[in-house]
Amino acid sequence: MSFFAHWSQVPERLWRWPDFAPAEIASRGDGSILIAPDALDRLQALRDALRRPVIVTSAYRDPVHNARVGGAPLSRHKAGDAFDIALRGHDRAEMLEVARAAGFTGFGFYSSFLHVDCGPARQWGQRGDKSWTY
Ligand SMILES: [Zn+2]
């Protein structure tokens, strides 16, 4: 795990995920970034399996930003190992299957994005929604 007060400070040699940039993974609050390599490896594996662009709408969140957006106090986003992935242009069932295969263990189902994380195995959200039938 490496923390930088701003994503622009991340040394190039530390970044090994070709389809993602530090700015995308950094907090949308203060621009800080916590790099969780194992989680980013899973995100890259998901991207490699999909073979299509993946838009991450929220990844690391600094504590102030997490509170501002209504994140849970113990949100995995604060640990840097959670990602919200936009579903537009993707098949939901495929996204979930690929996320599981990539090693993600926590899932939150939302209408426009899938939350994935590396925390304890659990899931929440609109599983009953027919758009998430699988
Ligand atoms: Zn999330």
Side-chain angles (χ1 to χ4, degrees):
M1 302 279 283
S2 320
F3 178 82
F4 297 90
H6 193 265
W7 59 263
S8 61
Q9 298 162 352
V10 176
E12 241 177 82
R13 61 178 163 73
L14 219 78
W15 197 262
R16 61 169 191 252
W17 305 279
D19 289 301
F20 301 93
E24 288 179 272
I25 301 305
S27 178
R28 310 294 156 105
D30 63 7
S32 62
I33 183 169
L34 181 61
I35 298 175
D38 290 350
L40 285 161
D41 285 346
R42 293 177 203 197
L43 182 66
Q44 184 66 52
L46 177 152
R47 169 64 177 80
D48 291 346
L50 284 173
R51 297 165 166 237
R52 284 198 300 284
V54 166
I55 305 292
V56 175
T57 59
S58 184
Y60 173 63
R61 292 179 193 157
D62 67 84
V64 172
H65 180 61
N66 187 63
R68 193 185 300 131
V69 299
L74 296 176
S75 170
R76 301 302 310 180
H77 285 284
K78 288 164 67 177
D81 68 13
F83 308 103
D84 292 342
I85 299 172
L87 288 165
R88 191 185 178 124
H90 292 282
D91 178 80
R92 286 159 190 261
E94 181 189 22
M95 179 67 83
L96 180 60
E97 185 185 320
V98 162
R100 282 192 202 284
F104 289 107
T105 46
F107 302 95
F109 302 92
Y110 297 87
S111 56
S112 63
F113 66 93
L114 176 66
H115 164 106
V116 299
D117 68 45
C118 306
R122 72 214 186 287
Q123 46 188 45
W124 69 88
Q126 308 166 351
R127 272 182 300 154
D129 182 317
K130 66 176 185 303
S131 62
W132 274 110
T133 303
Y134 53 89

